[in-house]
Structure formats: C-alpha cells, structure tokens
C-alpha cells in the first residue's frame, strides 16, 4: 500500500462519473485490511460513515466487506477450547484461533 502510486478506486458509481472511493479512502481501506484482529470493526466503521455508505453500490467493495466480515480465520479444535495462552509471544501459536470464526470471537 505504501509503495503504490495509483490505488484501486473499485469502479464507478451510478451517479455521473463518480468513483466508488478516492485515493485517500482507498488507502485507508487497504490499510485496514492488513490489520488481522481489528479488521472487522475498522472496516465496518469505515463503511458506516455517511459519505462512504454509498460506495457499497460497487460489487467489488461489497465483496471486500463480505470477505472481511465472514472470514473464518484459524480454526480452534474443541479439545483446545479451554487452553490459556501463558506467554507472549506464544509458544503455542495454534491457540491463536477461534472455533466460531472471527465475527463471533
């Protein structure tokens, strides 16, 4: 994201020649997508803004939102559900997962 000159605008909207996202908003959204655990609240907050909700007319942005919200993430088997992480960085990275997906975590 930092080294790109032209960021994607995710297509045009139904209103004139308006692009779905400008360069600033596109950079912001792409930056949010790189944050693993905070991705869902950041992207939902991004699209909840009054001036950005209309950008969801773009099928590409709807796909990005869908993929972000319903991403399953790493699966945590039931027999590890009660295990606690005791050290940071974790010596058991398989515990950094969820049994129900990131949305319900």
């Amino acid at each position: 994201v930092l080294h790109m000159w032209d960021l994607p605008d995710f297509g045009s909207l139904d209103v004139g020649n308006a692009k779905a996202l400008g360069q600033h908003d596109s950079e912001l959204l792409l930056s949010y997508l790189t944050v693993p655990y905070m991705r869902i609240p950041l992207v939902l907050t991004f699209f909840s803004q009054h001036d950005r909700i209309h950008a969801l007319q773009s099928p590409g942005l709807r796909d990005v939102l869908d993929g972000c919200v319903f991403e399953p993430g790493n699966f945590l088997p039931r027999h590890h559900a009660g295990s606690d992480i005791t050290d940071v960085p974790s010596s058991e990275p398989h515990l950094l997962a969820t049994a129900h997906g990131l949305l319900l975590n």
Side-chain angles (χ1 to χ4, degrees):
V1 174
L2 294 175
H3 300 288
M4 294 178 69
W5 287 101
D6 293 319
L7 297 171
D9 56 21
F10 296 96
S12 57
L13 300 178
D14 294 337
V15 183
N17 291 329
K19 298 293 182 188
L21 291 180
Q23 291 291 297
H24 178 286
D25 286 344
S26 182
E27 179 181 3
L28 200 56
L29 178 62
L30 292 174
S31 297
Y32 289 167
L33 293 175
T34 64
V35 185
Y37 197 71
M38 293 296 296
R39 182 179 304 135
I40 293 174
L42 287 172
V43 170
L44 289 177
T45 301
F46 177 85
F47 283 115
S48 69
Q49 307 279 323
H50 179 68
D51 57 337
R52 294 185 186 129
I53 189 75
H54 301 291
L56 290 174
Q57 292 177 14
S58 164
L61 284 175
R62 284 196 307 265
D63 290 343
V64 167
L65 182 62
D66 246 11
C68 173
V69 171
F70 298 111
E71 174 188 6
N74 296 333
F75 179 71
L76 182 66
R78 177 173 277 189
H79 62 275
H80 288 300
S83 302
D84 292 331
I85 297 173
T86 57
D87 52 350
V88 176
S90 179
S91 58
E92 300 179 276
H94 62 276
L95 294 178
L96 299 173
T98 176
H100 304 290
L102 295 175
L103 185 61
L104 297 177
N105 192 7

